[in-house]
Amino acid sequence: MKDIHDECGVFGIHGHPDAATIGYLGLHALQHRGQESAGIATSDGQDVRLYKQMGLVADVFNADVLKTLTGTSAIGHVRYSTAGSSTLLNAQPMKCMYAGGSIALAHNGNLTNFATLRHQLLARGHLFQSSSDSEILLQLVAAHYAPTLSDRVAAMMTQARGAYSLVILTADQMLAVRDPHGFRPLVLGRLDGAPVVASESTSLNLIGATYEREIEPGEIFIAGPGGETSSRPITSPRLARCVFEQIYFSRPDSIVFGKQVNTLRTEFGRQLAREQPVPNADVIIPVPDSGTPAAIGYAEQLNKPFAMGLIRSHYVGRTFIEPEQRIRHFGVKLKLAPVPEVLKDRVVVVVDDSIVRGTTSQKIVDMVRSRGAREVHMRISSPPTRWPCFYGIDTPSRKELIAARLGSLDEIAGELTADSVGYLSVEGMHRVVSGGGGDGYCDACFTGSYPVPVEDQYSPHSGPDDNR
Ligand code: AMP
């Protein structure tokens, strides 16, 4: 089994005449959470229909496809996974038949005991069509004998460990479920009286729905013929909301875990400037788009000019085939172009949200220096990424993480060929996010402190014993 580490977005709506079209729009706003496949399942009170394909939301769906997705309820999913498992079989929503009829499920997150559960289910004769841990959740729901779907889901929640924000659809019900730690976001809104759930509130904004609240950690929210119900069968042992959602993954216009992401990112930049100033800086430039709010905050705090020294092309797909060898660094050149007049003869501070392997940063430093910058200083609006995520953010193994490989800031600056490198401190990050010590958040990628034990490790980039 390989490649179950997914970054994803989910959406759901119940009791609206334009469910499929609204699902399509809702997924559009979540496209940043996954670009490899997209799918929508709808239900009309009788049955569940499903359409999913590899590709972007706009390419997967068209008017003819949406017409076939009849019904007044819909759930949808966008998925990104690493190369090997990029197959339609792993695309979501996943659908099957269970004792109660058709059921479809879409999942954001990663289970930490997926291999154990899968082996148990296989031993009991379950058949799997995919290598995705989302199918395990679907099978667990289907396999439990309980009087109601809510009871089945509650039973599944006692077995599944790790991160899951889910939407589930049956012929007449839509459910939204969040793991008791609340790793991944999931919000509830309303459109023309119909309940809407989405990974991020930007999705609600696009369709014109109003934001109501988060689906709570450990909550099962159900919308069905009998109205709406909510239960919390599992109390939260420890809240572990993913701080990397706020640093990088979510869109700045979203409210995530009750906070406006743009505000937090700007404040990360301000805090970074307090901790890691470059007093002789001439200009602060972001690595667009993800570094932009932090760069604005950094520049404001130091009272230095902010400028767009790098322009991002928004038309670079993940499937672009890089010409071998002939043009070095082609990948980053396709995505980012330098603006020489901003850079020439200047002391430049480049602000990005994170460094993972360091390959992008190194190419950016090169690019900025080759356009005449006198000094190039990298400033990162998160702490050094030293540990892989097992809860749904795609990170490589420790040996590929530059901050885990190299001991000191000087060594990292050396490898990046930057004049200096500075990161936000863990304390500074928590001060911005929660005004304190990080209670209620997962910061394992920075600290190695994993809130849920990782029982079954698997790396999307290498084998099971790659010494993560
Ligand atoms: P690198 O250091 O070359 O591995 O890449 C760092 C860049 O990747 C930064 O600009 C980040 O914004 C971005 N990044 C960080 N985490 C992720 C992730 N999980 N998926 C995709 N891009 C990411």
Side-chain angles (χ1 to χ4, degrees):
M1 187 170 56
K2 272 183 84 85
D3 297 337
I4 44 66
H5 288 248
D6 299 349
E7 293 171 349
C8 305
V10 297
F11 181 88
I13 184 161
H14 177 79
H16 196 286
D18 302 317
T21 308
I22 290 164
Y24 166 75
L25 293 171
L27 287 184
H28 246 295
L30 300 175
Q31 187 76 80
H32 60 288
R33 298 184 70 88
Q35 301 89 42
E36 288 199 352
S37 67
I40 294 176
T42 57
S43 69
D44 57 4
Q46 305 296 318
D47 201 4
V48 174
R49 290 169 184 78
L50 171 66
Y51 187 84
K52 56 184 176 179
Q53 272 300 331
M54 306 306 291
L56 299 172
V57 176
D59 299 329
V60 167
F61 294 101
N62 57 42
D64 290 339
V65 170
L66 289 175
K67 248 184 246 157
T68 67
L69 292 168
T70 53
T72 53
S73 294
I75 62 169
H77 189 267
V78 286
R79 174 172 194 262
Y80 159 77
S81 78
T82 49
S85 74
S86 183
T87 85
L88 189 55
L89 283 178
N90 284 333
Q92 300 190 36
M94 304 235 161
K95 183 187 159 190
C96 73
M97 295 291 288
Y98 81 121
S102 292
I103 184 167
L105 174 148
H107 168 213
N108 173 210
N110 255 101
L111 302 186
T112 50
N113 61 339
F114 61 92
T116 309
L117 289 172
R118 192 178 158 102
H119 287 143
Q120 285 169 359
L121 288 165
L122 283 169
R124 277 195 257 142
H126 283 252
L127 306 173
F128 284 90
Q129 294 193 331
S130 76
S131 60
S132 154
D133 56 355
S134 313
E135 193 180 6
I136 296 171
L137 294 171
L138 188 56
Q139 299 250 8
L140 284 175
V141 172
H144 278 290
Y145 290 99
T148 66
L149 183 56
S150 173
D151 293 334
R152 285 172 182 264
V153 173
M156 175 276 285
M157 291 170 86
T158 64
Q159 288 190 276
R161 287 194 279 275
Y164 53 89
S165 282
L166 304 176
V167 284
I168 299 174
L169 189 72
T170 64
D172 59 1
Q173 288 181 309
M174 181 198 70
L175 285 72
V177 184
R178 198 159 159 222
D179 72 70
H181 300 277
F183 279 104
R184 301 276 142 240
L186 193 59
V187 295
L188 174 67
R190 204 154 294 274
L191 178 67
D192 307 327
V196 188
V197 289
S199 291
E200 293 180 37
S201 62
T202 179
S203 195
L204 305 181
N205 297 342
L206 182 82
I207 61 170
T210 50
Y211 173 90
E212 285 190 357
R213 63 175 178 89
E214 287 186 82
I215 298 293
E216 297 295 328
E219 178 177 355
I220 304 175
F221 171 86
I222 305 182
E228 293 170 24
T229 60
S230 166
S231 59
R232 280 182 84 169
I234 302 197
T235 50
S236 183
R238 172 189 162 178
L239 263 185
R241 296 163 295 180
C242 169
V243 74
F244 203 66
E245 288 277 352
Q246 286 160 329
I247 287 166
Y248 166 77
F249 203 49
S250 298
R251 261 174 54 159
D253 53 321
S254 286
I255 296 169
V256 168
F257 310 138
K259 312 242 163 143
Q260 183 75 55
V261 175
N262 183 64
T263 309
L264 288 179
R265 288 192 190 158
T266 310
E267 200 48 48
F268 287 143
R270 286 182 174 279
Q271 180 65 19
L272 178 65
R274 285 179 210 114
E275 295 181 11
Q276 300 282 342
V278 178
N280 64 331
D282 294 319
V283 65
I284 316 299
I285 69 164
V287 177
D289 296 323
S290 55
T292 305
I296 290 170
Y298 191 95
E300 278 174 4
Q301 182 66 28
L302 290 186
N303 207 10
K304 300 275 188 188
F306 166 94
M308 295 303 288
L310 296 165
I311 302 300
R312 176 170 174 185
S313 163
H314 290 100
Y315 307 101
V316 187
R318 286 178 55 85
T319 49
F320 185 83
I321 298 155
E322 198 168 322
E324 272 177 46
Q325 298 294 336
R326 278 181 294 145
I327 310 175
R328 276 187 70 228
H329 302 168
F330 209 83
V332 170
K333 275 187 187 164
L334 267 179
K335 202 166 158 185
L336 295 173
V339 183
E341 65 169 30
V342 174
L343 308 171
K344 197 164 166 31
D345 299 326
R346 302 268 174 80
V347 173
V348 179
V349 177
V350 183
V351 179
D352 203 354
D353 64 276
S354 58
I355 301 183
V356 184
R357 290 184 179 80
T359 44
T360 310
S361 304
Q362 199 251 308
K363 289 168 186 174
I364 287 169
V365 172
D366 238 34
M367 190 181 268
V368 170
R369 211 186 284 285
S370 73
R371 293 307 161 129
R374 199 144 44 85
E375 293 175 28
V376 187
H377 301 270
M378 284 298 297
R379 288 296 179 270
I380 306 301
S381 62
S382 66
T385 303
R386 292 206 170 97
W387 301 88
C389 177
F390 296 99
Y391 311 122
I393 298 286
D394 178 39
T395 29
S397 64
R398 292 207 77 201
K399 61 189 177 205
E400 291 171 81
L401 294 169
I402 188 170
R405 274 197 300 112
L406 304 177
S408 70
L409 288 182
D410 282 349
E411 281 177 285
I412 297 173
E415 184 158 309
L416 301 183
T417 68
D419 291 278
S420 74
V421 171
Y423 290 89
L424 184 63
S425 67
V426 172
E427 299 71 34
M429 170 183 77
H430 285 315
R431 199 167 309 136
V432 171
V433 171
S434 59
D439 284 354
Y441 281 90
C442 174
D443 60 9
C445 51
F446 306 123
T447 62
S449 163
Y450 290 97
V452 172
V454 184
E455 295 164 59
D456 303 325
Q457 297 198 5
Y458 215 108
S459 159
H461 298 290
S462 43
D465 35 46
D466 70 335
N467 189 30
R468 284 174 150 243

